[in-house]
Amino acid sequence: MTFKDLSLIEPILKAVSDQNYSQPTPIQEKAIPLVLAEKDVLACAQTGTGKTAAFAIPIIQNTQARVLPNAKPRVTSLILTPTRELAIQIGENITAYSKYTQVRHTVIFGGVKQQKQVEKLRRGVDILVATPGRLLDLIDQGFIKLGGIQSFVLDEADRMLDMGFINDIKRVIRLLPTKRQSLFFSATLPPNIVELSKQISSE
């Protein structure tokens, strides 16, 4: 199987080729068609298996289909991840995969001044990559609204719970539309992760 077999649009195939990706990894092969079809996904995938591409590539494609000419972008996809380093890494991947599309994204995380992040949000973005603390902080300040979210990704879900983010996650979930796509990526699937995924998917 090649990426061409996954019903990806030409701009994304070109970007994938630029990355010297030839064949999708098993997680990409399974997840990309489901995400493109806007299904909910609970996936177990270790770091290094290409899981970021498994959700980022189809989200970019679905977002590109929603882009309106001359309209200011608004956040329709939220990717929540536990650490600044992961957020930056996901943002770099999205930059690579979306470079031939009109999709705009930004990354927000704590530990730095918020001004530059707020400026990017004000200009408008389609995909937002965030750590929980900074996301909730900017929501409280009125800079981010989650009412337009169509796809929600919880990345590194097991690490999220290990780091004590469960209450933050539940607060974010309550701010999302009930009708949305929920994608759950975790290196392990202990019972608490499975239970949380059921809660999130049924919200």
Side-chain angles (χ1 to χ4, degrees):
M1 173 172 283
T2 68
F3 282 97
K4 286 185 179 178
D5 299 317
L6 295 174
S7 301
L8 297 174
I9 57 176
E10 194 55 44
I12 290 178
L13 288 173
K14 188 177 178 187
V16 165
S17 176
D18 287 353
Q19 296 297 305
N20 295 318
Y21 293 178
S22 53
Q23 292 179 307
T25 65
I27 185 65
Q28 292 164 1
E29 190 176 317
K30 289 177 181 175
I32 287 174
L34 293 172
V35 181
L36 283 175
E38 300 186 338
K39 306 285 188 187
D40 289 349
V41 173
L42 171 59
C44 185
Q46 300 290 336
T47 299
T49 57
K51 70 177 172 59
T52 300
F55 62 77
I57 286 173
I59 282 177
I60 291 165
Q61 178 154 320
N62 287 346
T63 303
Q64 174 67 18
R66 295 192 290 261
V67 170
L68 298 172
N70 305 317
K72 181 181 175 182
R74 66 184 192 123
V75 180
T76 56
S77 295
L78 171 64
I79 300 167
L80 203 59
T81 194
T83 67
R84 166 183 176 166
E85 290 75 23
L86 272 167
I88 291 170
Q89 184 183 332
I90 292 169
E92 289 171 347
N93 285 332
I94 293 174
T95 297
Y97 306 145
S98 67
K99 66 179 179 177
Y100 299 117
T101 71
Q102 283 78 52
V103 173
R104 292 170 68 172
H105 74 282
T106 196
V107 181
I108 62 169
F109 47 80
V112 297
K113 290 182 179 177
Q114 69 179 43
Q115 184 181 350
K116 288 183 179 178
Q117 296 176 2
V118 169
E119 286 171 0
K120 287 185 178 179
L121 290 167
R122 282 184 169 144
R123 288 198 291 271
V125 297
D126 301 293
I127 301 173
L128 178 61
V129 183
T131 54
R134 178 54 59 94
L135 174 67
L136 288 168
D137 191 20
L138 294 182
I139 288 171
D140 288 342
Q141 294 179 59
F143 293 120
I144 297 171
K145 289 182 171 57
L146 300 182
I149 296 294
Q150 297 183 36
S151 294
F152 170 63
V153 182
L154 194 63
D155 188 36
E156 300 280 354
D158 48 358
R159 284 183 66 188
M160 283 274 205
L161 298 196
D162 288 344
M163 293 170 70
F165 284 128
I166 183 65
N167 290 329
D168 286 349
I169 293 167
K170 288 185 174 178
R171 191 176 157 208
V172 170
I173 298 301
R174 288 195 292 271
L175 298 171
L176 297 173
T178 52
K179 188 182 178 186
R180 63 170 188 273
Q181 178 183 36
S182 297
L183 308 173
F184 226 85
F185 285 79
S186 185
T188 60
L189 287 179
N192 60 344
I193 295 287
V194 176
E195 182 57 35
L196 182 62
S197 74
K198 287 177 182 174
Q199 290 175 23
I200 287 177
S201 296
S202 63
E203 284 280 337

